[in-house]
Amino acid sequence: MNEMVLFLVIGAAVILVALFLWSRMEQKKAQNSRVGLAQESKKMYEKMRPGSLPRQSSSEASPQVSIVNEPTTKTSEQVELKSLEKTPEVKLAPEPVVEKPMIERETVEVPFDLVSDPLPTEAIKTQQTSKSEVKPQEPKPVQEKKIPEPSNEKTVQSNRVVEPKNPVEIEKQPPMKLFPKEGLINFEADELTETVGLIQSVRPIAGERMLEMAANLQKLKLPIRIYVRRVDNNRWYLPVAEGRYTEMAVVLLLATRLSYINEMDASRFCVAIQQAGIALDADNDTEAAQDIVARAKHLHETIKSFDIQLSFILAAREPLPPPEVAEAARLAGFTQLNPMRYFLGTVQDISNATIFLTQDQFDRRYLTLSLDAPLARPNSRPLHKLFSVSNDLCARLHLQMQDATDAPINTEAAQAINKQLELYYKQMIQAEIEPGSPRARILFTRDSAQ
């Protein structure tokens, strides 16, 4: 037993010694590793000492370093210096970018400046900007400037702009005929060129309700006219809020030289009349949509066959200045529509104009004298007027009258043109379109030309 105890004690002592030696070895290893880390950290801190900062950049670089550190972090010294050199260039880029929209505005305003003088418009814009900046001080001088400006514009426009403005205003007035106060016994409708949708009610309907239905029908954007029939005198009037009515008539124009009613337009018209009748609790009646389209197509083909303009070319050897052409045209009885276009007659005759004079914009040597044949009445001798006016212009401007093939027009050519025009007018009368009549004016209107 004593030997076993001694053996165990010796074994325990050996194990303790081994553990002690092993622990010492581990401590030495740990110390060596800490020393290496400390030395490396010391080297890094020595590099980051403030003594090395003057080598990076001069005193001017200090504010730039703060700007660079905002967007980027942990960059090297060389990279920071390069980025600092580039950052002012990047900041300068927005300055020309701000100027680009100003250039675009100038290009957009160019076409408007061509219509009116550019100097007054720019002056007005500078005055408006100054007003927005200083409100209490500048109203008095601005008012003084506004007084002479319109007077100057009037003097300039009295020779050029006033003439085309008045014709346009008078041109819009003749189609808008003054409706008689006493009303009409029968509403106006042309059986050849128009179709009618009727809405009839047994009970009287207030004028406000009729006016609402008329407004809804106007939203179709079709060439229509609307009449309503009053209860007290059975006469037709335009829709108004006053009074009571029993009938509504919607007149649709089938075709003109510009367009005609197609399948979609015809169906929209018929459906709108039906809906209006249901909303008013009244009966409605319209022509079938297929019949409307067939009539509109036939009328449009007839219009195209008679849509003719008789034109003469007045040629000069040298380019003609527009002021000289304007003066000669005025003496020959023309009125100016725009710098290159005139019509024969006074301002009051614009709605009935049939002879037009146009100067070529590209080649100022040529003038075109044209007769709108379907709009001229045969009894007014339109061809005689055309030749007399052309002779007057040729004498004033030293021109030569030619046809479309640049061949001079002599007496034989004039007689042949007269025969063709007489045959043309006979064919129009056979087609139930009298030349120069109100029906012809509606069908052959040339709003873009006038």
Side-chain angles (χ1 to χ4, degrees):
M1 293 293 294
N2 293 329
E3 294 177 356
M4 289 295 293
V5 172
L6 182 62
F7 180 76
L8 292 173
V9 171
I10 293 169
V14 172
I15 292 170
L16 291 172
V17 172
L19 290 173
F20 176 76
L21 294 174
W22 181 77
S23 63
R24 294 290 295 176
M25 295 294 291
E26 293 295 330
Q27 288 179 0
K28 289 181 179 181
K29 291 180 180 180
Q31 289 177 359
N32 293 330
S33 63
R34 289 178 184 176
V35 171
L37 291 173
Q39 291 177 356
E40 291 180 359
S41 61
K42 286 181 181 180
K43 292 179 181 179
M44 292 177 65
Y45 285 121
E46 287 177 358
K47 291 182 179 179
M48 297 175 65
R49 286 179 183 177
S52 62
L53 291 177
R55 296 179 182 178
Q56 293 179 0
S57 60
S58 62
S59 60
E60 295 179 356
S62 59
Q64 295 176 351
V65 173
S66 61
I67 295 171
V68 174
N69 289 334
E70 291 177 359
T72 60
T73 56
K74 296 181 181 181
T75 58
S76 63
E77 296 175 358
Q78 295 179 354
V79 173
E80 288 177 356
L81 291 175
K82 291 181 179 180
S83 61
L84 288 174
E85 294 176 357
K86 294 181 179 179
T87 48
E89 295 178 0
V90 175
K91 289 183 179 179
L92 291 175
E95 294 179 357
V97 172
V98 175
E99 295 177 357
K100 287 182 180 178
M102 298 297 292
I103 296 171
E104 292 177 357
R105 289 178 184 174
E106 291 177 359
T107 55
V108 173
E109 291 174 358
V110 167
F112 296 100
D113 294 338
L114 291 176
V115 179
S116 60
D117 295 335
L119 293 177
T121 55
E122 293 178 357
I124 292 169
K125 289 181 182 178
T126 54
Q127 291 176 5
Q128 290 178 355
T129 53
S130 62
K131 285 182 184 179
S132 62
E133 294 176 357
V134 181
K135 292 183 180 179
Q137 297 179 357
E138 293 189 356
K140 292 181 180 180
V142 169
Q143 291 178 357
E144 293 177 358
K145 290 180 181 179
K146 285 184 178 179
I147 293 169
E149 283 179 359
S151 63
N152 293 332
E153 291 180 357
K154 287 182 181 179
T155 56
V156 174
Q157 291 179 357
S158 61
N159 296 329
R160 296 181 181 179
V161 182
V162 172
E163 292 179 356
K165 281 185 179 179
N166 290 334
V168 172
E169 293 176 357
I170 296 172
E171 180 185 357
K172 293 181 180 179
Q173 290 178 1
M176 301 296 293
K177 295 180 180 179
L178 295 176
F179 199 86
K181 295 181 179 179
E182 64 277 8
L184 299 173
I185 299 175
N186 296 315
F187 61 86
E188 298 178 355
D190 191 349
E191 296 180 356
L192 178 65
T193 63
E194 295 173 333
T195 184
V196 181
L198 290 174
I199 300 173
Q200 298 175 345
S201 176
V202 178
R203 294 175 297 180
I205 302 173
E208 295 179 355
R209 187 63 175 162
M210 285 289 197
L211 191 60
E212 291 178 2
M213 291 297 106
N216 292 333
L217 293 171
Q218 294 281 347
K219 293 178 181 178
L220 296 174
K221 295 183 179 181
L222 295 175
I224 60 174
R225 301 191 313 274
I226 301 176
Y227 304 93
V228 290
R229 191 171 187 176
R230 248 174 118 165
V231 177
D232 52 0
N233 57 6
N234 290 331
R235 286 179 173 268
W236 294 91
Y237 296 86
L238 298 178
V240 292
E242 295 79 11
R244 303 176 72 187
Y245 305 88
T246 56
E247 295 185 26
M248 175 182 286
V250 184
V251 183
L252 174 66
L253 181 62
L254 297 178
T256 63
R257 62 176 295 272
L258 300 175
S259 62
Y260 66 94
I261 300 300
N262 54 21
E263 291 82 357
M264 184 177 293
D265 295 336
S267 61
R268 287 171 54 214
F269 175 75
C270 295
V271 170
I273 296 298
Q274 292 176 1
Q275 291 178 351
I278 294 171
L280 296 174
D281 194 12
D283 298 331
N284 59 84
D285 184 18
T286 58
E287 189 177 0
Q290 297 178 354
D291 297 338
I292 293 175
V293 174
R295 290 178 56 201
K297 288 183 178 180
H298 178 71
L299 180 61
H300 187 63
E301 292 175 357
T302 304
I303 294 171
K304 288 194 298 182
S305 63
F306 292 113
D307 190 9
I308 295 174
Q309 277 191 325
L310 181 61
S311 299
F312 294 160
I313 297 175
L314 308 180
R317 294 181 179 178
E318 297 179 355
L320 298 171
E324 293 184 6
V325 177
E327 182 64 18
R330 185 184 64 82
L331 295 175
F334 284 87
T335 301
Q336 190 171 8
L337 283 169
N338 56 53
M340 296 294 172
R341 188 165 175 79
Y342 311 82
F343 71 94
L344 185 62
T346 60
V347 173
Q348 298 177 353
D349 301 329
I350 180 62
S351 60
N352 298 321
T354 57
I355 297 176
F356 296 89
L357 177 66
T358 307
Q359 186 176 13
D360 194 343
Q361 296 181 359
F362 301 100
D363 195 346
R364 300 295 176 85
R365 296 177 301 171
Y366 296 101
L367 303 176
T368 302
L369 188 64
S370 59
L371 169 66
D372 209 344
L375 301 182
R377 292 183 177 274
N379 296 332
S380 63
R381 302 176 66 188
L383 190 60
H384 176 74
K385 290 183 181 178
L386 187 65
F387 276 107
S388 62
V389 169
S390 63
N391 291 329
D392 190 353
L393 293 173
C394 290
R396 295 180 187 276
L397 298 174
H398 306 285
L399 307 176
Q400 183 181 7
M401 186 166 51
Q402 301 174 353
D403 58 8
T405 60
D406 296 338
I409 298 176
N410 51 20
T411 56
E412 295 180 358
Q415 293 177 358
I417 293 171
N418 189 16
K419 291 180 180 179
Q420 293 177 0
L421 190 61
E422 290 179 356
L423 180 61
Y424 166 80
Y425 284 143
K426 289 180 180 179
Q427 293 175 353
M428 284 191 66
I429 294 172
Q430 292 176 359
E432 299 182 359
I433 303 175
E434 184 178 355
S437 63
R439 177 183 289 177
R441 286 279 166 186
I442 294 173
L443 299 181
F444 297 94
T445 180
R446 294 179 184 271
D447 295 338
S448 61
Q450 295 178 356

